Amino acid sequence: MYVEDKELCTGCGACYNACPVNAISMKMDKYGFYKPIIDKAKCINCGLCEKICPLDSYKSNNNITPQVYALINKDDNVRLKSASGGAFSAFGKNVLEQNGVVYGVIWNDDIVAIHSRAENVEQLEKMYSSKYVQSNTKDTFKQAKKDLDNGKKVLFSGTPCQIAGLKSYLKKDYEKLVTIDLICHGVPSPLIFEKYKQEFLKNKPKEKLININFRPKINGWSIQYIIHPAILLTTQKQYYVKKDFWIPIMNHSFNFSCAHCNFNQLPRVADITIGDFWGVDEYDKSLNDDLGTSIILINNRNGEILLKEIELNCRLEKVPLEVAIKRNPNIYSSSKAHKNRKEFLEDACINNKSLKYCVKKYLKTPIHILIYRLLPQFAKDFIKYKILKVGK
């Protein structure tokens, strides 16, 4: 069976990077997810794509019970630019200081999520904040291998399936490789994301998107859990969208493999796992100043070493694993696909219905948002300023 026939293909790009005759290309399927397509005229039937596929070949040897920490980067400017507590920045800068390189996801000039290589802090900063769409790993597995073979220290970050793909592609452990996987809720369709951008620009013919921040902290970090704000920057103006609909769309446009993920589980696939410490106030309110707090899992000895190297730049507090899992179940399990996922994708991608139409038809506002909207202002203020500590 060819890799392109696999129903649970994640689009990690391992087969594409491994093909010795460049017979594989990564193209969007009918729902807009990157999948491998084989040029039969070029294929030499070597079977390497099958052997390298992490769905068949990867198994984690990490600790089943990781060490867990709350992490707060001591540089508040970094945290303001980051999705949560600035963990990725701390690890990335440490690797750069050792003359290493960092691989992570950026927006390219067309605001498409792609994996890229950073040699300095300016390039690293483009990888800050969440992109919330399936990224194209492109040739980065090959580039990372070349760096490792040349003796460079490499930090590679991505979704769990992408890290599994990288490790399957490399075929062996490298002493100078550090991997970070994200607490992943699932990756939305890049085609749906293109529609989102096009519809935003529909009445702005002279403007071009140059950046999107799905996790701005204008009103604090904690409130994002309720209102899902976004900042969209164009060539002419900055737009602040208080209640952006992209995050709710995610649940309706996950890749099929995300609901049956082989890699969102314990033991984790990477040396270090990072995400938001949702529910931090339930554990220790002193760990939340509303600029962002990360939860990190140290999954093996390699992760322990890197954590030791950054500890002077961060506030670290050990946390029980069950506390981390309580509000982040994707540490050990897949997200549930929405019951209308297929219909949503069919209408948006096949029938070319507008996202506005699809949102109205399929998206129901979560019950906690509806309740919040119905509350009197004093109750909203109590939640914002006393419970979520917005602006504190």
Side-chain angles (χ1 to χ4, degrees):
M1 182 177 72
Y2 286 116
V3 287
E4 62 182 348
D5 298 323
K6 292 187 177 180
E7 189 177 43
L8 293 180
C9 172
T10 66
C12 71
C15 57
Y16 163 76
N17 279 265
C19 182
V21 293
N22 298 318
I24 298 177
S25 56
M26 300 300 293
K27 294 183 179 179
M28 289 184 183
D29 66 9
K30 64 180 180 179
Y31 296 138
F33 295 102
Y34 297 120
K35 295 292 173 71
I37 302 297
I38 298 174
D39 184 339
K40 303 300 193 298
K42 289 183 180 179
C43 180
I44 57 174
N45 296 309
C46 65
L48 185 57
C49 58
E50 275 291 304
K51 294 174 186 174
I52 217 77
C53 178
L55 291 172
D56 299 323
S57 64
Y58 182 75
K59 184 175 181 180
S60 176
N61 293 318
N62 287 336
N63 301 328
I64 189 70
T65 306
Q67 300 176 47
V68 184
Y69 295 87
L71 183 151
I72 297 173
N73 195 309
K74 290 180 180 178
D75 187 334
D76 288 346
N77 289 325
V78 164
R79 279 201 292 157
L80 284 171
K81 296 174 185 176
S82 304
S84 50
F88 174 73
S89 172
F91 291 121
K93 285 182 178 179
N94 175 68
V95 169
L96 292 179
E97 287 167 2
Q98 299 177 53
N99 197 33
V101 294
V102 178
Y103 289 85
V105 180
I106 66 167
W107 295 128
N108 70 5
D109 291 341
D110 296 315
I111 313 299
V112 174
I114 62 168
H115 263 73
S116 184
R117 180 179 184 271
E119 296 179 327
N120 55 53
V121 173
E122 183 180 0
Q123 293 170 338
L124 181 73
E125 288 183 351
K126 294 179 181 180
M127 300 172 183
Y128 294 177
S129 195
S130 301
K131 305 304 186 288
Y132 288 128
V133 65
Q134 185 188 28
S135 66
N136 191 339
T137 54
K138 301 176 78 67
D139 296 318
T140 52
F141 290 4
K142 291 180 184 177
Q143 294 173 354
K145 185 179 187 304
K146 185 176 180 180
D147 284 328
L148 290 165
D149 289 339
N150 287 335
K152 273 192 172 294
K153 187 157 189 174
V154 171
L155 188 157
F156 201 106
S157 65
T159 59
C161 60
Q162 289 171 337
I163 300 302
L166 171 69
K167 291 191 171 185
S168 293
Y169 166 78
L170 293 174
K171 299 179 186 175
K172 68 174 185 178
D173 294 329
Y174 283 83
E175 184 181 345
K176 291 193 174 183
L177 173 65
V178 178
T179 54
I180 291 179
D181 67 358
L182 310 173
I183 300 175
C184 179
H185 303 279
V187 291
S189 159
L191 181 58
I192 297 287
F193 185 57
E194 283 302 310
K195 290 176 72 73
Y196 166 84
K197 292 185 295 180
Q198 290 167 12
E199 291 182 23
F200 174 77
L201 292 171
K202 186 175 181 179
N203 298 315
K204 307 174 183 67
K206 295 182 180 180
E207 299 181 53
K208 180 183 176 182
L209 272 172
I210 55 177
N211 192 36
I212 300 178
N213 183 0
F214 287 121
R215 302 289 302 277
K217 295 177 179 175
I218 292 176
N219 292 311
W221 168 68
S222 304
I223 198 68
Q224 297 175 87
Y225 197 67
I226 290 180
I227 65 173
H228 307 308
I231 290 177
L232 293 93
L233 182 65
T234 74
T235 46
Q236 295 188 17
K237 188 176 177 181
Q238 176 174 290
Y239 296 86
Y240 174 65
V241 185
K242 187 176 180 180
K243 296 175 182 176
D244 188 61
F245 62 79
W246 179 251
I247 303 302
I249 279 177
M250 286 175 59
N251 288 328
H252 287 74
S253 58
F254 285 164
N255 200 345
F256 178 78
S257 61
C258 296
H260 309 274
C261 183
N262 287 26
F263 311 109
N264 252 359
Q265 59 187 5
L266 294 171
R268 301 290 297 187
V269 299
D271 302 312
I272 299 165
T273 299
I274 63 175
D276 291 271
F277 192 169
W278 298 127
V280 60
D281 283 345
E282 300 169 19
Y283 176 69
D284 184 348
K285 291 182 179 180
S286 73
L287 292 171
N288 184 15
D289 62 1
D290 211 35
L291 288 181
T293 307
S294 297
I295 197 79
I296 64 169
L297 280 62
I298 304 301
N299 301 311
N300 56 31
R301 178 60 181 159
N302 205 24
E304 290 177 21
I305 293 170
L306 196 64
L307 182 66
K308 188 74 175 175
E309 292 174 352
I310 68 157
E311 61 182 0
L312 293 179
N313 299 319
C314 303
R315 178 185 173 186
L316 291 167
E317 297 286 342
K318 201 153 192 180
V319 175
L321 178 60
E322 58 269 22
V323 170
I325 287 174
K326 185 176 182 181
R327 300 294 182 190
N328 270 308
N330 292 117
I331 287 173
Y332 73 97
S333 64
S334 302
S335 293
K336 246 185 183 179
H338 194 278
K339 63 180 180 179
N340 293 324
R341 171 192 168 277
K342 187 175 180 180
E343 290 81 1
F344 181 94
L345 288 171
E346 289 278 349
D347 266 348
C349 300
I350 309 298
N351 301 328
N352 201 29
K353 299 288 187 181
S354 71
L355 285 186
K356 185 177 180 180
Y357 168 90
C358 295
V359 166
K360 187 175 181 180
K361 183 175 180 180
Y362 296 108
L363 262 68
K364 290 186 178 180
T365 305
I367 187 66
H368 68 282
I369 304 294
L370 290 173
I371 293 172
Y372 178 80
R373 290 176 183 172
L374 292 172
L375 292 174
Q377 191 58 47
F378 77 88
K380 291 180 179 178
D381 289 343
F382 180 82
I383 292 172
K384 286 170 65 177
Y385 301 116
K386 297 297 183 182
I387 297 177
L388 297 177
K389 299 185 180 297
V390 172
K392 299 296 183 181

